[in-house]
Amino acid sequence: MRPDERKGVVATRRDQFPVGMRVLAVDDDPVCLKVLETLLLRCQYHVSTTNQAAIALKMLRENRDMFDLVISDVHMPDMDGFKLLELVGLEMDLPVIMLSVNGETKTVMKGITHGACDYLLKPVRIEELRNIWQHVVRRKFSTRDRASLDIYEECNKPSNADSDHAHGHVTCGSPDQSGRPSKKRKEYYSEEEDEGEEDNTQETDDPSAPKKPRVVWSVELHRKFVAAVNQLGIDKAVPKRILELMNVEKLTRENVASHLQKYRLYLKRLSAVASQQVSIVAALGGRDPFLHMGAFEGLQGYQAFTSSAALSSFTPHGLLNSPRNNPAVFGTQRVSASKSIQTVTGGHALNHSICDANKYHLSSPGNQQGNLGQGMATSLGQTQMQPKWIHEETDDLSTIFSGNGLANSGMSATLQGVTSSPLLPQELVECTQVKVGSQPSVLTPSVSSGRLEGTVGVSSSLLDSRVSQQTTIPLSGFSASGLPIHGLFNNSCATKLGATSSVSTPVHPSNDLLVARDTKAGASSFGSTMLLPPDTEQKYLNFGGGNSFKHKFDERTADSLFDLKFVWSSSLSSQLASNIGAHHSVSQRWNNSSSNNSNIGARMIGQPSSSASTVEPHAKSDFLISGDMLVPKNASDLSVPKPQSELSSSSCSFDGLLNSIIKVEKDDVSFSDDLGCSDFYSLGACI
Amino acid sequence: MAAALTSQLHALVNNMFATGLLDDQFQQLQMLQDFSAPDFVSEVVTLFCDDGERIIGELARELDKPNVDFDRVDSFAHQLKGSSASVGAQKVKNTCIQFREFCQQRSRDGCLKTLDLVRTEFYDLRNKFQAMLQLEQQIQACYPKH
């Protein structure tokens, strides 16, 4: 949509929106089309119709500024409605509503995952059509937050509509639209100044832009574009380089920049859709501690995406059916697959992000080497959870949440673990320090009867908001001493942390750490953050059993099974934000925190304590959180020696990639650096 | 004259609702017809009758082929289902649903059998629609345009 033109429309119909909203209706069935047209006209929209998808596409391409919304039938002989949907989503920033007489969940899901902003069933009722303008507003809201403020000021708070909409209606209202777009945008700009300028020219309604000759992005041209982006890596793909790689005559940098921008928006929109169901992020951790992932944005910071064909599935056709199990997608090291499940219940977001195979580089005194780590960080937060099941259909990550939780965001709770390993990296775990710090009252489980076999003792008491845990673990003890190891963390005595904590909350997390079978070495850490119901003020329970076992994983450890079981029992229906991580070769720490800006993220802190291991783990986790009995179970199988299989198992799929935001930011406030941890990552599922 | 025709028309339409030929979608269409779209219902009905006949013809042709392309058959049936749903032709729609089930079972006999049903329902409705349109025309003829 051409900005200046929309401005005109808005100006003339300023007080009448959505009257005159320009809708293109596409249906091959003349009866349906006629009815639809009349209905739309009755809603006082400006309606154009066509009975062919190809014509519709042509119309849109030629006059892309002439439409605000597309309503398309799903089944059309000349072009599948989903195809049209894809193309429109890719080429134009228009909301598309799918329409079908077929309401099977599968079909509806297909529409939504292809980027449809709504899916209506025939026969459409006028009541439904009266409401479709919200998609236009939402789209504008999400893509041009400030530029079009004037539009949604008139429109009854689209964010409310959004959350209302999330109740049992298949839609794609994304949390970020109701969340804090400005912040995100800001960071986005700051990270990527070059692109930011592009954004700005696009979004500040540069009137000169639309006058330039339009490049029709044919499939072929787009394919070249995607190939170039893939080659460069989406994080490094700048228009100029893309242009060079594409080597197409008459294509200008501006064309490419514009298309890149749309492409990213497209990816982002897709991400917003799927993130409500299952979203998976594969994030590649580099050295850059300031990573902000927002859908595709997140990819920018990750270096390793430049490797191989990582982005091959970013082609428009591959987005939906991207190979969930494609093992070759990601590189071997520095690969972080993060899975984020986001469920919207009651208009709130429940984020669950799992990180696999992260490489964290933290600058700390001593030896610092990037290591491969794998972990899963699960963050449930900011949500008022209805009993809800989320099931990830992946081989190794099966997460089920069933929870009744009351959410209280606006917390800042951090759990930080630093492992420094000045000593023999492969044999000893030197020191694990856990710091649990929370602004409000924090109940931290004192780790009682933490027992690890052999000389491993995990015993932490949280005093002065610090858990320090120093263990020296000979590896042999680990394997020989008759695993499973039970580490029991029982915080029946609720220890208050910090001076501000004054609420004692009956939460009894108990941890079963079970390390089963012959593990030659294991590095595992899990940190959990439990958010307690808001009626007791702001309560966080940060509870981390930080175990760091150095692992040397080689092929022989293929059968090692690392099994983590967390059992939380809470007498309150509590919201649980938990991070569970299992990884090896790097002692790693997850922090799950919610900060005051309702940004819930899983903070991940890992300090590599030993030399990098090339073996990547395979993690399997099951969560079961139900009601006031929270039983997350994490069965981590650290045994998969091949990175590729590991990655496939961590279900890095592209839609997942796109769908997640990994937000990595530096936070100087939350942590004091007396632990020697200076960098950390925050992974926030903040879509 | 006009009053008699009008009551005849009402009786016909009411009967179509009562027998389940039509559902409230048709009422929706009726409500949509106003000064801005005075012939809306008749337009839609005419479209439906023509298009439905075409689709039924296509279905018969497809099922007559030695190797039935059931996907193609299904897409036609889907289209008929869509248009009958849009016009509120409840019975036709329901038989379309049945038809599609046989389609999914790849049952040619089932399809043929149900196609007869579809055809019966469709032509029954079409006859009534045509009677309805005829009545409307007669009524309009009684009120010459000024």
Side-chain angles (χ1 to χ4, degrees):
Chain A
M1 157 112 3
R2 219 157 76 187
D4 49 352
E5 188 171 321
R6 183 181 39 254
K7 269 183 184 167
V9 171
V10 170
T12 54
R13 306 176 188 271
R14 192 183 174 81
D15 35 344
Q16 298 173 46
F17 183 87
V19 170
M21 185 174 76
R22 298 159 305 174
V23 181
L24 176 62
V26 192
D27 198 327
D28 64 307
D29 185 283
V31 180
C32 296
L33 189 60
K34 179 74 187 167
V35 174
L36 179 61
E37 181 189 10
T38 310
L39 286 167
L40 291 169
L41 284 171
R42 190 51 51 90
C43 297
Q44 295 186 282
Y45 303 139
H46 183 275
V47 187
S48 310
T49 61
T50 176
N51 62 353
Q52 284 182 43
I55 294 178
L57 201 57
K58 192 161 167 279
M59 290 167 76
L60 289 168
R61 277 175 174 155
E62 288 173 359
N63 303 295
R64 72 176 70 195
D65 306 327
M66 297 299 290
F67 300 99
D68 298 309
L69 180 77
V70 179
I71 301 184
S72 169
D73 187 26
V74 170
H75 295 269
M76 287 179 290
D78 65 323
M79 185 191 290
D80 191 81
F82 296 124
K83 180 79 184 160
L84 176 67
L85 173 63
E86 250 177 31
L87 290 170
V88 171
L90 186 66
E91 297 179 25
M92 304 128 209
D93 186 22
L94 284 182
V96 180
I97 294 174
M98 298 307 283
L99 193 63
S100 175
V101 73
N102 184 2
E104 289 168 25
T105 309
K106 206 177 77 181
T107 322
V108 177
M109 190 65 82
K110 194 178 174 192
I112 297 301
T113 50
H114 272 68
C117 63
D118 207 345
Y119 194 107
L120 302 178
L121 291 184
K122 288 182 190 174
V124 190
R125 303 187 75 83
I126 194 164
E127 290 82 2
E128 295 170 294
L129 295 176
R130 283 218 169 95
N131 221 11
I132 56 172
W133 56 264
Q134 64 181 304
H135 301 297
V136 176
V137 175
R138 186 176 294 126
R139 180 60 52 87
K140 283 165 187 164
F141 184 70
S142 65
T143 55
R144 321 167 179 263
D145 0 279
R146 296 191 182 105
S148 59
L149 261 174
D150 52 348
I151 292 184
Y152 40 84
E153 274 173 2
E154 313 163 22
C155 298
N156 291 336
K157 295 182 182 176
S159 63
N160 287 347
D162 193 28
S163 56
D164 288 342
H165 217 61
H167 288 286
H169 199 294
V170 187
T171 187
C172 68
S174 61
D176 74 320
Q177 290 158 1
S178 57
R180 29 162 192 49
S182 58
K183 179 168 185 275
K184 213 170 94 186
R185 299 302 297 186
K186 194 175 148 200
E187 293 175 4
Y188 175 46
Y189 288 143
S190 65
E191 267 172 27
E192 206 196 10
E193 290 177 7
D194 185 23
E195 293 305 312
E197 284 173 21
E198 289 298 326
D199 290 358
N200 282 329
T201 56
Q202 287 264 322
E203 301 202 359
T204 51
D205 299 347
D206 180 2
S208 67
K211 289 174 188 156
K212 290 172 187 166
R214 210 45 102 173
V215 172
V216 175
W217 284 84
S218 64
V219 173
E220 176 63 17
L221 202 57
H222 180 69
R223 200 187 54 72
K224 281 187 180 176
F225 169 81
V226 172
V229 171
N230 289 350
Q231 192 178 337
L232 293 168
I234 194 151
D235 56 326
K236 292 189 173 168
V238 292
K240 194 179 168 193
R241 300 277 336 262
I242 295 173
L243 186 62
E244 287 167 10
L245 282 170
M246 286 176 72
N247 193 22
V248 174
E249 278 184 30
K250 290 182 182 173
L251 199 63
T252 68
R253 182 186 161 280
E254 284 72 28
N255 296 142
V256 175
S258 165
H259 194 65
L260 180 63
Q261 178 65 17
K262 281 172 185 148
Y263 184 55
R264 287 179 161 161
L265 285 172
Y266 172 66
L267 301 181
K268 190 170 157 188
R269 280 204 301 279
L270 285 184
S271 78
V273 172
S275 64
Q276 290 188 344
Q277 306 133 22
V278 174
S279 60
I280 302 148
V281 167
L284 308 179
R287 303 172 67 94
D288 185 359
F290 304 100
L291 297 179
H292 177 125
M293 288 198 82
F296 64 87
E297 295 171 27
L299 305 180
Q300 295 161 1
Y302 286 97
Q303 304 158 346
F305 257 136
T306 59
S307 67
S308 71
L311 293 178
S312 62
S313 291
F314 274 86
T315 56
H317 306 102
L319 279 169
L320 178 70
N321 299 319
S322 60
R324 220 165 251 265
N325 296 317
N326 184 357
V329 168
F330 302 100
T332 55
Q333 282 199 346
R334 301 189 188 176
V335 174
S336 154
S338 161
K339 171 169 285 193
S340 164
I341 296 179
Q342 186 167 25
T343 310
V344 172
T345 339
H348 295 275
L350 172 136
N351 295 329
H352 165 78
S353 72
I354 294 175
C355 257
D356 274 323
N358 291 297
K359 175 184 176 172
Y360 298 102
H361 179 91
L362 289 122
S363 68
S364 67
N367 56 344
Q368 317 155 5
Q369 297 194 14
N371 282 314
L372 274 173
Q374 177 185 13
M376 286 155 289
T378 303
S379 138
L380 304 179
Q382 199 187 8
T383 174
Q384 182 146 5
M385 292 170 59
Q386 308 287 331
K388 180 86 183 174
W389 292 86
I390 301 172
H391 183 69
E392 300 175 39
E393 297 173 349
T394 60
D395 290 333
D396 45 349
L397 291 172
S398 158
T399 306
I400 295 168
F401 294 96
S402 170
N404 248 332
L406 298 175
N408 185 8
S409 62
M411 296 291 305
S412 169
T414 57
L415 177 70
Q416 178 180 17
V418 176
T419 301
S420 62
S421 65
L423 294 183
L424 300 173
Q426 296 178 353
E427 292 177 352
L428 294 178
V429 173
E430 276 305 305
C431 172
T432 302
Q433 290 183 327
V434 179
K435 179 190 176 185
V436 179
S438 292
Q439 306 283 336
S441 62
V442 172
L443 298 178
T444 309
S446 70
V447 181
S448 66
S449 77
R451 186 172 65 87
L452 294 174
E453 284 294 336
T455 60
V456 180
V458 177
S459 161
S460 300
S461 68
L462 297 171
L463 295 173
D464 293 333
S465 66
R466 173 189 289 191
V467 175
S468 79
Q469 184 177 9
Q470 295 189 355
T471 52
T472 302
I473 306 172
L475 285 178
S476 58
F478 216 87
S479 59
S481 56
L483 304 169
I485 295 174
H486 276 277
L488 180 64
F489 301 93
N490 198 348
N491 76 333
S492 56
C493 54
T495 308
K496 294 180 192 173
L497 280 189
T500 60
S501 67
S502 60
V503 180
S504 114
T505 314
V507 174
H508 306 280
S510 70
N511 252 351
D512 245 346
L513 171 63
L514 179 68
V515 180
R517 292 176 64 190
D518 181 35
T519 312
K520 183 168 183 188
S524 72
S525 72
F526 51 90
S528 303
T529 301
M530 190 174 280
L531 289 93
L532 299 179
D535 58 347
T536 51
E537 237 181 43
Q538 298 175 336
K539 292 157 297 303
Y540 256 70
L541 176 64
N542 276 341
F543 121 70
N547 304 318
S548 175
F549 312 118
K550 295 228 173 55
H551 268 229
K552 174 163 181 142
F553 270 87
D554 51 15
E555 281 71 13
R556 287 177 301 159
T557 61
D559 56 350
S560 68
L561 179 69
F562 193 81
D563 203 352
L564 288 177
K565 260 185 193 173
F566 292 92
V567 178
W568 282 286
S569 67
S570 165
S571 59
L572 297 174
S573 295
S574 61
Q575 175 194 13
L576 175 68
S578 64
N579 290 332
I580 294 180
H583 62 95
H584 62 83
S585 80
V586 180
S587 53
Q588 186 175 342
R589 176 70 48 190
W590 285 268
N591 277 315
N592 186 4
S593 68
S594 292
S595 55
N596 284 327
N597 57 4
S598 75
N599 176 11
I600 293 193
R603 275 200 188 128
M604 310 191 71
I605 297 176
Q607 178 177 3
S609 60
S610 63
S611 60
S613 165
T614 58
V615 181
E616 302 200 58
H618 173 100
K620 183 178 279 187
S621 73
D622 287 321
F623 273 91
L624 179 64
I625 302 169
S626 65
D628 38 19
M629 188 66 184
L630 305 168
V631 188
K633 186 173 70 176
N634 183 8
S636 298
D637 184 0
L638 297 177
S639 65
V640 178
K642 291 181 182 178
Q644 293 190 343
S645 60
E646 187 278 321
L647 286 169
S648 73
S649 66
S650 56
S651 57
C652 305
S653 76
F654 274 113
D655 41 329
L657 270 178
L658 309 173
N659 291 333
S660 297
I661 291 171
I662 293 185
K663 184 177 182 183
V664 182
E665 59 185 9
K666 184 166 183 175
D667 189 346
D668 291 331
V669 180
S670 300
F671 300 106
S672 60
D673 49 3
D674 54 358
L675 295 175
C677 174
S678 57
D679 287 338
F680 59 86
Y681 298 84
S682 164
L683 285 178
C686 49
I687 304 166
Chain B
M1 178 64 183
L5 287 171
T6 307
S7 72
Q8 204 179 335
L9 176 65
H10 283 165
L12 175 64
V13 174
N14 285 341
N15 177 263
M16 288 167 85
F17 279 116
T19 52
L21 274 181
L22 299 178
D23 59 21
D24 18 326
Q25 174 64 18
F26 190 75
Q27 271 174 330
Q28 280 254 326
L29 301 188
Q30 287 180 312
M31 283 189 285
L32 282 172
Q33 176 164 296
D34 64 1
F35 63 92
S36 67
D39 300 320
F40 173 62
V41 172
S42 66
E43 279 175 27
V44 170
V45 163
T46 309
L47 276 175
F48 171 74
C49 291
D50 295 349
D51 205 51
E53 192 169 28
R54 179 186 65 84
I55 293 172
I56 288 173
E58 294 279 3
L59 284 174
R61 206 169 305 129
E62 288 296 324
L63 288 172
D64 205 31
K65 287 179 181 172
N67 293 319
V68 179
D69 181 351
F70 280 100
D71 288 333
R72 199 166 150 75
V73 172
D74 187 60
S75 92
F76 278 120
H78 183 268
Q79 200 187 339
L80 186 58
K81 185 186 164 194
S83 63
S84 52
S86 293
V87 87
Q90 188 172 231
K91 279 194 174 177
V92 178
K93 186 186 78 178
N94 290 340
T95 48
C96 281
I97 293 170
Q98 285 179 40
F99 185 92
R100 294 194 68 202
E101 279 167 15
F102 283 113
C103 235
Q104 270 147 21
Q105 294 167 18
R106 301 287 192 256
S107 161
R108 181 180 186 161
D109 289 343
C111 280
L112 283 171
K113 217 177 280 177
T114 325
L115 180 61
D116 284 340
L117 213 59
V118 172
R119 200 183 272 124
T120 309
E121 295 294 349
F122 174 77
Y123 283 113
D124 181 32
L125 179 65
R126 198 182 74 158
N127 289 338
K128 292 201 162 79
F129 269 153
Q130 283 172 344
M132 185 187 82
L133 294 180
Q134 215 170 351
L135 281 170
E136 281 178 354
Q137 278 174 4
Q138 289 169 6
I139 292 168
Q140 274 183 7
C142 296
Y143 299 101
K145 288 170 186 169
H146 34 274

